[in-house]
């Protein structure tokens, strides 16, 4: 009996000494970083250019809106250079911005930057121009297709039959494609019926007036100056077209549509050389963009029902509505909003 007891005791002792697997212990999840307030947010703002008047207004109003919220704006201007814009945004990401707002020069080339920002945990808002083929978090702009619709409706009301020239914006800018889409959706039935013929249809490199002027000169030469209406991608390209018309003694005789409500464009409407422009309140646009950029930065959920496909995903979008401006509505639109001063518009 003693032997059995010794054997049992020894077995228990040996068993107790054997290594045992420890029970799996769940490690607590790391605590999420503290949510920042608007006052701690750094907004990286990557702009294509400041060569056009409207973009200087965008910058000024964007910075003012950010200051109202207490956020800091880290600014880079690419001067129409794709490589430079990619390098600048890489730099902002590496230096620790909280959200990236992009006005792309080239809608396609910025796709890699969106991915790079996401790898760094930074969300991306596409401002006014949509970045293509990328998982952009949010797009804030005006309804650019509606811009083209309003332009074409104004022109067809004045010139329901005749020869049209279309001078689009930069082919690299997706907005230019949307505007053109809107224009031709209105022109299509007129073209199909033979009432309207588009005798010249060309993009304008980098939206620059000198290229628009060259295109308009080519259109006039090819048609022996027999043109009935011009639709231009924006007021800068409209100005280039009007310079060419002026040189041929046709300024003010052929209706011209533009967009952006640039001061020079509005002045040309007063003078009678440009017919209409499209007013897009940059104040409204910049305020909305800053407000939503801060929400993205602090991780607040944004519910937007409108989605626009950018070639890769349906991007949650906020689109504001443009307003047509002609000679009769200048005071109640751009002047009433303080976009331009009356003394500037009607300067002698």
């Amino acid at each position: 009996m003693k032997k059995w007891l010794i054997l049992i005791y020894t077995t228990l002792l040996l068993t107790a000494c054997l290594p045992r697997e420890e029970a799996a212990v769940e490690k607590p999840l790391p605590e999420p970083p503290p949510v920042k307030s608007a006052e701690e947010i750094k907004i990286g703002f990557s702009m294509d250019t400041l060569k056009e008047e409207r973009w200087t207004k965008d910058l000024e109003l964007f910075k003012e809106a950010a200051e109202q919220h207490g956020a800091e704006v880290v600014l880079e201007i690419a001067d129409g250079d794709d490589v430079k814009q990619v390098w600048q945004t890489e730099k902002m990401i590496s230096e620790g911005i909280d959200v990236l707002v992009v006005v792309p020069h080239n809608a396609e080339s910025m796709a890699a930057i969106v991915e790079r920002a996401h790898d760094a945990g930074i969300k991306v808002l596409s401002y006014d121009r949509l970045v293509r083929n990328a998982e952009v978090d949010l797009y804030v702009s005006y309804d650019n297709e509606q811009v083209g619709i309003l332009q074409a409706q104004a022109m067809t009301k004045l010139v329901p039959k005749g020869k049209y020239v279309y001078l689009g914006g930069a082919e690299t800018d997706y907005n230019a494609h949307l505007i053109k889409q809107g224009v031709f959706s209105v022109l299509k039935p007129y073209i199909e019926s033979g009432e309207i013929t588009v005798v010249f249809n060309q993009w304008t490199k980098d939206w620059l007036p000198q290229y628009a002027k060259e295109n308009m000169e080519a259109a006039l030469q090819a048609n022996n100056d027999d043109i009935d209406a011009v639709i231009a991608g924006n007021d800068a390209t409209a100005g280039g077209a009007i310079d060419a018309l002026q040189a041929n003694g046709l300024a003010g005789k052929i209706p011209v549509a533009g967009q952006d409500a640039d001061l020079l464009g509005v002045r040309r409407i007063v003078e009678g050389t440009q017919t209409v422009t499209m007013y897009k309140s940059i104040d409204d646009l910049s305020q909305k963009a800053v407000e939503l950029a801060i929400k993205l930065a602090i991780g607040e959920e944004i519910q937007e029902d409108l989605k626009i496909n950018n070639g890769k995903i349906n991007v949650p979008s906020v689109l504001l509505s443009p307003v047509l401006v002609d000679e009769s509505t200048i005071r109640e639109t751009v002047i009433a909003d303080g976009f331009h001063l009356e003394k500037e518009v009607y300067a002698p």
Side-chain angles (χ1 to χ4, degrees):
M1 187 69 176
K2 249 184 210 183
K3 287 183 181 179
W4 280 106
L5 288 172
I6 292 169
L7 183 59
I8 292 169
Y9 177 77
T10 305
T11 303
L12 290 171
L13 186 61
L14 289 171
T15 303
C17 293
L18 288 174
R20 292 179 296 173
E21 291 186 6
E22 292 186 5
V25 178
E26 289 190 8
K27 293 182 180 179
L29 293 173
E31 290 187 13
V35 176
K36 291 186 175 184
S37 65
E39 290 77 10
E40 300 173 286
I41 298 300
K42 279 187 180 180
I43 303 173
F45 193 20
S46 171
M47 299 187 73
D48 165 28
T49 182
L50 290 180
K51 289 181 180 177
E52 295 170 45
E53 177 197 326
R54 72 142 295 183
W55 293 116
T56 60
K57 285 184 176 290
D58 278 270
L59 174 56
E60 177 186 336
L61 292 169
F62 189 95
K63 289 173 75 173
E64 284 180 9
E67 286 171 9
Q68 288 169 9
H69 288 278
E72 178 185 349
V73 176
V74 179
L75 176 69
E76 293 286 356
I77 311 297
D79 299 317
D81 186 326
D82 293 342
V83 175
K84 185 175 181 180
Q85 188 165 32
V86 169
W87 176 81
Q88 287 174 336
T89 47
E90 285 272 9
K91 178 172 173 282
M92 285 193 288
I93 290 167
S94 66
E95 290 178 352
I97 56 173
D98 298 296
V99 62
L100 177 62
V101 178
V102 179
V103 182
H105 171 252
N106 187 313
E108 302 284 347
S109 66
M110 292 305 290
I113 282 299
V114 176
E115 185 176 347
R116 171 71 183 86
H118 284 171
D119 288 344
I122 297 167
K123 292 186 177 180
V124 180
L125 185 152
S126 203
Y127 180 96
D128 193 66
R129 299 173 180 173
L130 182 59
V131 176
R132 297 278 294 162
N133 296 311
E135 294 183 356
V136 180
D137 296 286
L138 193 63
Y139 172 45
V140 181
S141 185
Y142 270 83
D143 188 335
N144 290 291
E145 188 172 344
Q146 184 65 19
V147 167
I149 289 171
L150 291 174
Q151 286 181 313
Q153 286 176 341
M155 290 294 100
T156 53
K157 186 176 179 180
L158 290 170
V159 187
K161 295 181 181 180
K163 295 180 179 180
Y164 274 56
V165 168
Y166 183 73
L167 303 177
E171 190 174 9
T172 55
D173 184 347
Y174 188 53
N175 279 5
H177 293 264
L178 293 172
I179 294 167
K180 184 176 182 178
Q181 186 175 309
V183 167
F184 280 85
S185 70
V186 174
L187 295 185
K188 184 179 179 183
Y190 293 88
I191 293 169
E192 290 175 346
S193 68
E195 294 174 309
I196 287 175
T197 304
V198 179
V199 295
F200 193 88
N201 177 1
Q202 188 58 263
W203 299 110
T204 305
K205 183 182 177 184
D206 291 337
W207 299 90
L208 294 175
Q210 60 262 39
Y211 296 119
K213 182 180 179 181
E214 290 174 8
N215 284 334
M216 191 69 228
E217 289 169 343
L220 289 167
Q221 185 175 3
N223 292 276
N224 297 314
D225 290 356
D226 185 14
I227 301 295
D228 298 296
V230 178
I231 300 177
N234 67 355
D235 286 342
T237 52
I242 290 167
D243 285 346
L245 293 173
Q246 187 82 51
N248 287 270
L250 296 171
K253 298 178 181 179
I254 298 173
V256 179
Q259 69 116 352
D260 280 342
D262 285 354
L263 180 58
L264 291 177
V266 177
R267 279 181 176 173
R268 287 192 295 266
I269 291 175
V270 173
E271 294 165 359
T273 56
Q274 186 169 324
T275 313
V276 297
T277 187
M278 302 299 134
Y279 173 46
K280 303 181 298 185
S281 172
I282 296 172
D283 193 11
D284 291 348
L285 179 64
S286 58
Q287 287 279 356
K288 193 69 176 176
V290 167
E291 172 193 325
L292 293 172
I294 289 171
K295 286 185 177 182
L296 287 175
I298 64 178
E300 186 173 327
E301 188 175 356
I302 299 172
Q303 293 288 349
E304 293 299 338
D305 295 331
L306 178 62
K307 311 278 186 184
I308 295 180
N309 191 281
N310 72 345
K312 185 169 186 178
I313 65 167
N314 293 319
V315 181
S317 302
V318 176
L319 297 185
L320 307 178
S321 298
V323 176
L324 184 142
V325 176
D326 61 19
E327 188 178 9
S328 68
T329 60
I330 290 173
R331 282 189 169 87
E332 66 193 58
T333 53
V334 294
I335 291 176
D337 281 2
F339 190 69
H340 296 306
L341 298 177
E342 184 166 357
K343 65 181 180 181
E344 294 174 331
V345 171
Y346 295 99

